[in-house]
Amino acid sequence: MIPETLLAKFSNDTFEVQYKKGALIFEEGDKALFYYQVKKGTVKMYNLTEDGKEFMQGFFEQGTSFGEPPLFGDFLYPASAAAMDDVTLLRVPKLSFMELLKEFPEIHLKFTGQLCKRLKYKSMIMKEVSVYPPPHRIYALLSYLKSKESPETIYTVPLTRQQIADLTGLRVETVIRSIKKLEEQKKLKLSQRKILM
């Protein structure tokens, strides 16, 4: 995350934009013109299948940025982004963002590390979705999310069953059955509808 004061200092064009729940921020195939950083709320990135079903690429919450690869690679957005709730974003024009990275190479290095982690996640999810049965896919996703936390703590999964379905390409009913199976195998626990690991 780039400090808000630095964004404002570096670019006169930095400003807050607000989106209501469900509003589209950009669409797959649009040209990337801005750097986006979440100040409040949650943004989802997704693709639509031929039958109109969403395949979720990821969720981005307060303090994170999204949609940067097309800024670096000069290609069109490969996915759409929309507000999952009322969202406030910091938006910086591409040129100002690039100038900021040139002036602050340590921030550029952080972005490189962040993009590498996202690539690792995408690679893992692609393998899981294409090769393994539903319980394994779900467990791999939840284990990946838990890996960002301290190993000693009990991790409460912050996703709904629908979000897990969207991230793994499964139906909600399949997710519910698979979670029950994982609980029976003692790979996770359920408490008041929350998934604990």
Side-chain angles (χ1 to χ4, degrees):
M1 177 178 110
I2 302 175
E4 191 175 335
T5 51
L6 180 59
L7 287 173
K9 177 183 171 187
F10 202 84
S11 171
N12 293 330
D13 299 323
T14 299
F15 59 93
E16 288 186 9
V17 287
Q18 297 180 343
Y19 294 87
K20 292 288 185 190
K21 181 179 180 178
L24 198 62
I25 298 163
F26 54 75
E27 198 167 5
E28 181 178 351
D30 285 351
K31 187 172 176 60
L33 301 174
F34 298 99
Y35 163 80
Y36 292 99
Q37 186 167 295
V38 183
K39 184 171 182 178
K40 179 184 155 207
T42 306
V43 170
K44 64 179 177 180
M45 287 193 70
Y46 63 95
N47 296 102
L48 289 176
T49 62
E50 286 182 13
D51 59 355
K53 186 180 186 308
E54 285 185 6
F55 182 79
M56 206 67 59
Q57 297 289 344
F59 298 95
F60 302 88
E61 298 177 309
Q62 181 179 345
T64 60
S65 57
F66 62 95
E68 307 95 327
L71 295 175
F72 291 107
D74 201 29
F75 52 85
L76 302 178
Y77 283 118
S80 299
M84 293 187 68
D85 45 26
D86 289 351
V87 168
T88 302
L89 303 176
L90 298 174
R91 190 173 82 175
V92 182
K94 177 180 176 177
L95 191 58
S96 298
F97 174 64
M98 292 302 175
E99 289 299 321
L100 185 147
L101 294 181
K102 287 177 189 171
E103 190 166 324
F104 296 94
E106 67 279 4
I107 292 175
H108 196 291
L109 284 172
K110 283 183 183 176
F111 270 104
T112 302
Q114 181 178 306
L115 292 175
C116 288
K117 286 177 185 172
R118 286 189 201 163
L119 279 172
K120 178 184 174 188
Y121 167 76
K122 296 278 186 203
S123 176
M124 183 270 296
I125 284 295
M126 293 253 319
K127 178 181 173 186
E128 297 299 325
V129 167
S130 60
V131 176
Y132 295 106
H136 185 96
R137 290 189 212 178
I138 293 166
Y139 188 70
L141 170 67
L142 302 184
S143 295
Y144 172 79
L145 294 173
K146 182 182 177 177
S147 71
K148 298 177 182 179
E149 305 294 323
S150 169
E152 304 85 41
T153 60
I154 295 174
Y155 177 65
T156 303
V157 176
L159 304 174
T160 65
R161 302 324 190 247
Q162 181 63 59
Q163 289 168 335
I164 293 170
D166 292 341
L167 284 165
T168 54
L170 298 169
R171 296 177 46 169
V172 176
E173 297 79 12
T174 306
V175 169
I176 292 167
R177 283 195 306 272
S178 298
I179 287 171
K180 278 287 188 196
K181 190 171 186 179
L182 289 167
E183 183 186 32
E184 288 165 9
Q185 295 171 348
K186 302 197 183 315
K187 291 186 174 179
L188 52 79
K189 291 181 183 177
L190 294 176
S191 175
Q192 298 176 342
R193 293 194 45 80
K194 296 284 186 189
I195 303 170
L196 309 175
M197 293 183 71

